[in-house]
């Protein structure tokens, strides 16, 4: 079995979900006492979040790039960056690696193409929704159109992610706010809601909404498992 390199800690609440998904999938497919072979670099999210707020993407790329190269040198056969937002710096990191580095939007695009879905509602942080690195990649590589919430709803999503979910706080009131935002996206024509922040699956589950949910945390983890068990 090949080894998965996980670049996590952004936040560690969702990184532990990744760890659970990776091991559960390997156990289900390989059987017995099988578990995933993993190398994990978990960064201090407080430092990177400060860079986010000041839009210092160079510092973020330098920090994550260094950790990614450490994982490759330590023996990882592939790499996943366990966060949607930080994929803004994916291109700069990818050029410094020789191992497969699976982009979370590519995993999502492949999943949506298989499900014959061409328009999604994108539920994520302000950085993921407003910046073009995510939606542009989905459109260019998979011809998938993206609907994003309005400015007020983006602020609600952001506040809940950073002030609650990243701290492990799950509130019913916040779930209802998300469901309201999701319905607005459905009303505009979304065929699926992409949970494009790795913490959101802590709050919203498939049975909570009438449209199919595309959980990027699970989908991204599955992409890595497909590779290491191939």
């Amino acid at each position: 079995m090949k080894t998965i390199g996980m670049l996590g800690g952004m936040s560690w609440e969702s990184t532990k979900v990744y760890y659970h998904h990776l091991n559960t999938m390997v156990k289900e497919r390989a059987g017995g006492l099988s578990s995933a072979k993993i190398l994990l670099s978990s960064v201090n999210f407080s430092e990177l979040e400060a860079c986010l707020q000041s839009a210092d993407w160079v510092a973020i790329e330098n920090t994550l790039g260094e950790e990614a190269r450490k994982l490759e040198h330590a023996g990882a056969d592939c790499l996943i960056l366990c966060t949607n937002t930080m994929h803004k710096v994916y291109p700069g990191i990818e050029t410094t690696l020789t191992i497969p580095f699976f982009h979370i939007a590519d995993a999502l695009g492949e999943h949506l193409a298989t499900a014959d879905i061409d328009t999604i509602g994108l539920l994520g942080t302000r950085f993921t929704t407003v910046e073009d690195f995510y939606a542009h990649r989905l459109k260019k590589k998979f011809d998938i159109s993206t609907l994003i919430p309005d400015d007020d709803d983006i602020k609600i999503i952001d506040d809940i992610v950073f002030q609650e979910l990243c701290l492990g706080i799950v509130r019913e009131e916040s779930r209802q706010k998300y469901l309201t935002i999701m319905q607005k996206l459905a009303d505009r024509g979304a065929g699926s809601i992409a949970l494009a922040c790795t913490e959101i699956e802590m709050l919203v589950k498939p049975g909570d909404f009438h449209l199919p949910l595309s959980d990027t945390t699970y989908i991204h983890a599955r992409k890595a498992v497909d590779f290491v068990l191939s």
Side-chain angles (χ1 to χ4, degrees):
M1 186 190 304
K2 301 182 184 72
T3 299
I4 300 169
M6 291 176 60
L7 185 47
M10 300 162 280
S11 67
W12 69 264
E13 290 287 349
S14 63
T15 300
K16 70 181 181 182
V17 177
Y18 265 96
Y19 186 82
H20 172 80
H21 284 328
L22 291 168
N23 282 290
T24 299
M25 290 180 205
V26 168
K27 178 183 177 182
E28 289 173 348
R29 297 192 199 181
L33 297 176
S34 299
S35 58
K37 294 177 64 177
I38 293 171
L39 290 171
L40 168 63
S41 174
S42 187
V43 300
N44 181 359
F45 189 39
S46 178
E47 297 172 357
L48 290 182
E49 198 272 337
C51 293
L52 271 181
Q53 297 307 325
S54 63
D56 190 352
W57 291 102
V58 172
I60 291 172
E61 181 177 323
N62 289 340
T63 298
L64 296 182
E66 180 180 357
E67 295 305 313
R69 291 185 289 275
K70 286 180 183 177
L71 288 168
E72 178 174 6
H73 294 155
D77 296 299
C78 68
L79 182 67
I80 50 175
L81 177 56
C82 302
T83 165
N84 283 271
T85 296
M86 300 303 185
H87 275 75
K88 179 177 171 65
V89 299
Y90 171 95
I93 298 173
E94 182 192 29
T95 59
T96 69
L97 302 173
T98 62
I99 59 175
F101 183 21
F102 300 126
H103 196 296
I104 196 168
D106 290 350
L108 173 62
E110 291 165 3
H111 167 79
L112 293 169
T114 300
D116 199 25
I117 294 170
D118 61 8
T119 303
I120 60 163
L122 193 67
L123 207 67
T125 67
R126 171 170 54 89
F127 308 98
T128 302
T129 51
V130 174
E131 301 272 353
D132 68 353
F133 70 92
Y134 207 96
H136 178 73
R137 194 176 184 101
L138 287 172
K139 186 64 177 177
K140 182 178 180 180
K141 296 192 68 173
F142 303 98
D143 198 25
I144 293 169
S145 299
T146 300
L147 303 173
I148 67 171
D150 62 31
D151 290 344
D152 290 341
D153 287 343
I154 288 174
K155 184 178 187 309
I156 291 172
I157 295 167
D158 241 29
D159 289 346
I160 291 172
V161 167
F162 289 106
Q163 298 174 21
E164 297 178 21
L165 299 180
C166 286
L167 299 175
I169 300 169
V170 177
R171 292 176 172 153
E172 179 59 29
E173 177 184 1
S174 297
R175 179 181 291 108
Q176 292 305 317
K177 289 179 180 179
Y178 270 39
L179 292 175
T180 298
I181 295 169
M182 291 160 63
Q183 185 58 53
K184 292 179 185 178
L185 294 169
D187 292 343
R188 290 166 54 196
S192 172
I193 303 298
L195 307 184
C197 174
T198 52
E199 284 81 15
I200 294 178
E201 73 118 65
M202 298 163 56
L203 184 65
V204 180
K205 306 298 181 183
D208 293 337
F209 199 62
H210 61 90
L211 285 182
L213 303 183
S214 299
D215 175 7
T216 59
T217 307
Y218 180 86
I219 292 167
H220 200 202
R222 184 178 63 194
K223 178 74 174 178
V225 171
D226 288 345
F227 174 79
V228 298
L229 292 184
S230 62

